[in-house]
Amino acid sequence: PQDTGEPAWLVRWLWLVAAACVLMIVVGGVVRLTHSGLSMTNWRPVTGVVPPLTDAAWQAEFAAYRQTPEYEKVNAGMSLAEFRAIFWPEFIHRILGRVVGLVVALPLLIGLIRGQFRPGLRAHVVGIGLLFLAQGVMGWLMVKSGLVDDPKVSPYRLALHLSLAISLLAWCLWLIFQRRWRVSSDKIVGQLRSIANWLLGAVILQILVGALVAGHRAGHASDTFPLMHHRLIPLGMGVEDHPWLVNLVANPLTVHFEHRWFAFVVLGLALWLFLVVRRHDTRRPLGTAATALLHLLGLQILLGIATILTNVPVWLASLHQLGGVAVFACTWFVFHQTRQDTASASRQI
């Protein structure tokens, strides 16, 4: 960076933290899809880095798991070998979280001790560190919600856990965008800014609904497309003993329906953006990003349909989740590029 108030490694560190966020999101999705998240019943930040190494240690972990609602109501009679199969994905996820924590914390602490961050930037990098910590704490609170009565984690805590991870990714990417892609506001009309606002809001909403789909395991609500249970609008989306607003977030069939069809609203907004960008002859990189986003959304919808039709295989559902992150990152870049010129602002943060 040209600004001497920034360390030379800042952008590389931001890229590394952003990539780590994506990796954690994907691995976390695998944990969810393999139903491994409740296999570890405690959180030991230091001693938890060592897996069970002896038969006695494995038996102790298995004994703790047998006290959980998931074992009693879902996996009663599970063998030790089957327990190990669900233990390892969660263990790897937690170890990866600790490794990423070091990636976040060590350069941050070194930079702070050496005074390499000017005040405006210091607030951002410290905020990134605190947000990572909050995301980890939220992950454990999410796990705890499935260790009480209901043998699954709270879908709402899951959505919040994912939201914090996406926010961390967004923060890192914004600082990168400010330093690598200056905004040329001469070609940005007010209509483009409005579309970008709506598009970003729609993508975020779709991701949150996707988290509820995962939390409610609503991907299995239907394995056909476009019909659900032989109807375009299936019966059962409004449970009478719940207000309709509650059905929007608590009924698996309704959540699945919302996620399925709102994707086409997002696609329509992306198409609108693409056409407006072309009409105003907006130069790269916004034009390239608008085109890439349209293609990404088309591929993402196809992945979602394939995931439904094949009964939610782990590899395909994980690829669909990765596609969602890619769509968000591209949308976030479009949003950045449609702001007012930030050349002067970039020197402040």
Side-chain angles (χ1 to χ4, degrees):
Q2 295 179 354
D3 192 336
T4 57
E6 298 180 359
W9 47 263
L10 176 66
V11 172
R12 293 193 297 271
W13 176 67
L14 290 169
W15 274 120
L16 187 59
V17 175
C21 288
V22 174
L23 180 61
M24 286 291 291
I25 290 171
V26 173
V27 174
V30 171
V31 168
R32 183 75 192 125
L33 290 163
T34 56
H35 309 300
S36 303
L38 299 177
S39 59
M40 297 180 69
T41 59
N42 49 56
W43 187 29
R44 301 187 299 267
V46 178
T47 59
V49 300
V50 180
L53 299 176
T54 64
D55 288 340
W58 276 112
Q59 290 293 346
E61 287 284 352
F62 192 26
Y65 177 69
R66 290 200 297 269
Q67 304 303 312
T68 66
E70 183 176 69
Y71 177 83
E72 295 173 351
K73 299 179 181 181
V74 179
N75 291 329
M78 169 183 277
S79 67
L80 179 59
E82 291 170 328
F83 170 69
R84 289 181 178 182
I86 66 169
F87 178 89
W88 284 116
E90 173 65 3
F91 178 79
I92 291 171
H93 184 52
R94 295 195 187 190
I95 291 298
L96 184 60
R98 290 170 170 84
V99 172
V100 175
L102 292 176
V103 169
V104 173
L106 290 181
L108 173 59
L109 291 174
I110 291 172
L112 290 173
I113 292 171
R114 293 181 175 178
Q116 293 180 297
F117 305 124
R118 47 187 166 70
L121 178 61
R122 188 183 307 129
H124 283 273
V125 295
V126 170
I128 286 172
L130 293 176
L131 184 57
F132 177 83
L133 181 62
Q135 198 265 348
V137 172
M138 190 65 239
W140 172 240
L141 293 175
M142 177 188 71
V143 170
K144 283 189 66 176
S145 69
L147 298 175
V148 184
D149 298 312
D150 192 4
K152 63 183 180 68
V153 301
S154 164
Y156 314 110
R157 293 190 186 186
L158 173 64
L160 183 55
H161 184 50
L162 178 61
S163 298
L164 291 174
I166 292 291
S167 299
L168 184 61
L169 173 64
W171 204 337
C172 293
L173 289 179
W174 190 269
L175 294 177
I176 293 169
F177 296 160
Q178 294 280 42
R179 287 154 178 78
R180 289 292 182 262
W181 291 280
R182 293 179 58 178
V183 177
S184 299
S185 61
D186 58 323
K187 290 285 187 179
I188 305 301
V189 297
Q191 185 184 26
L192 270 177
R193 294 192 181 95
S194 297
I195 298 172
N197 293 343
W198 282 102
L199 182 59
L200 178 62
V203 167
I204 292 173
L205 180 59
Q206 179 71 341
I207 289 174
L208 291 177
V209 176
L212 293 179
V213 169
H216 288 298
R217 301 176 184 175
H220 299 279
S222 173
D223 61 357
T224 58
F225 186 88
L227 301 182
M228 297 176 64
H229 305 310
H230 309 291
R231 297 172 63 95
L232 190 61
I233 301 178
L235 299 175
M237 290 203 303
V239 180
E240 293 182 359
D241 58 346
H242 291 307
W244 70 272
L245 280 175
V246 175
N247 275 273
L248 293 179
V249 296
N251 186 335
L253 187 65
T254 306
V255 172
H256 180 117
F257 181 85
E258 293 163 358
H259 190 60
R260 174 183 290 211
W261 294 113
F262 193 67
F264 293 93
V265 175
V266 179
L267 181 64
L269 288 170
L271 178 59
W272 186 18
L273 176 84
F274 171 77
L275 295 175
V276 172
V277 167
R278 289 195 63 182
R279 184 167 68 246
H280 289 279
D281 191 28
T282 304
R283 298 178 182 178
R284 290 185 292 181
L286 177 57
T288 301
T291 303
L293 179 58
L294 191 60
H295 290 148
L296 274 174
L297 278 167
L299 177 60
Q300 178 69 350
I301 289 174
L302 291 176
L303 284 172
I305 294 172
T307 302
I308 292 169
L309 297 179
T310 55
N311 200 28
V312 196
V314 172
W315 72 271
L316 194 53
S318 298
L319 194 59
H320 181 58
Q321 187 172 25
L322 179 61
V325 176
V327 166
F328 170 78
C330 194
T331 305
W332 190 231
F333 182 73
V334 166
F335 178 80
H336 173 267
Q337 289 293 302
T338 56
R339 300 305 93 190
Q340 293 290 343
D341 185 87
T342 53
S344 59
S346 66
R347 290 192 291 270
Q348 301 302 316
I349 64 170

